Amino acid sequence: MTSVPDDRSSLIRSDDRDTAVERVQEAFSAELISHEELDQRLHQVLTATTQHDIEAALSGLPAPDAGTTSTIAAAAGRIRRRGEWLVPRTLKVHSALGRVKLDLSRAIIKHRVVDIELQLGTGGAKITVPRNAIVDIEALHTGWKDSQYQPPRQTGATGPTIRISGVMGMGKLRIRHARR
């Protein structure tokens, strides 16, 4: 039986574990580690219970590709992305006064986990996610209004995990799943 750490903030989520597995597999594919080291590191990741355990399994591996982070910023006005667009692994959205509208329903998502970091002042945000996406808004802090998200009734979502974090001042976040 494994013991639960005293510091619950150091516990890992399944998304963190999945990301670590991908990094180990990518290092093996790039011939940076041997097959034996692949097995050893995967075992470490899959049996990890804390962030420290994950970090130990990833030590010495190259950092995640910095090109997988994009920032969209506007002091005032609207920020909008829709249609077919390539979604980075991490998307940072900063807006002091404008509205944000992100439509991921037809976007090209190459990552199993996408982090969207919102830093919004007085504007609201509307995010449309793929029909089969899993949405996590636990790390989002809202000031004036609560977030509006109703998970779909279907179970067994198989799409990407969309993790939304950050801070929203006076605006409201609305999240909906695409219908098609």
Side-chain angles (χ1 to χ4, degrees):
M1 180 175 183
T2 58
S3 62
V4 176
D6 294 334
D7 181 11
R8 289 211 172 269
S9 66
S10 70
L11 291 175
I12 57 173
R13 300 185 306 197
S14 62
D15 294 340
D16 298 328
R17 189 180 314 276
D18 292 344
T19 301
V21 166
E22 283 180 17
R23 280 191 57 201
V24 172
Q25 290 172 335
E26 287 171 5
F28 177 72
S29 296
E31 298 181 359
L32 298 173
I33 60 175
S34 67
H35 189 270
E36 292 79 23
E37 192 174 352
L38 169 73
D39 289 342
Q40 176 191 7
R41 288 180 186 254
L42 285 176
H43 177 73
Q44 282 181 288
V45 168
L46 296 173
T47 59
T49 57
T50 65
Q51 286 294 338
H52 183 271
D53 297 338
I54 292 283
E55 290 166 11
L58 299 176
S59 70
L61 295 181
D65 183 11
T68 60
T69 300
S70 293
T71 301
I72 304 170
R78 185 181 311 201
I79 294 175
R80 176 184 273 177
R81 292 290 183 273
R82 65 181 177 177
E84 288 188 24
W85 59 288
L86 182 61
V87 179
R89 167 69 179 82
T90 303
L91 178 63
K92 297 180 179 187
V93 181
H94 301 243
S95 177
L97 299 170
R99 287 184 148 159
V100 174
K101 203 173 201 180
L102 300 176
D103 186 347
L104 303 165
S105 63
R106 294 187 328 190
I108 300 163
I109 302 174
K110 294 184 176 182
H111 307 281
R112 286 194 294 173
V113 178
V114 173
D115 289 311
I116 299 176
E117 178 188 303
L118 300 175
Q119 297 293 328
L120 306 180
T122 59
K126 182 178 180 180
I127 300 175
T128 303
V129 300
R131 184 178 179 171
N132 61 349
I134 300 163
V135 178
D136 177 2
I137 60 172
E138 289 182 30
L140 180 69
H141 303 284
T142 57
W144 190 50
K145 293 185 176 183
D146 289 330
S147 302
Q148 194 175 53
Y149 172 63
Q150 181 68 37
R153 291 187 180 140
Q154 70 181 4
T155 58
T158 58
T161 298
I162 311 294
R163 294 190 301 203
I164 301 172
S165 64
V167 177
M168 293 186 63
M170 298 181 71
K172 177 185 267 188
L173 172 65
R174 291 182 180 98
I175 302 168
R176 74 175 186 86
H177 288 263
R179 291 196 173 108
R180 51 184 162 92

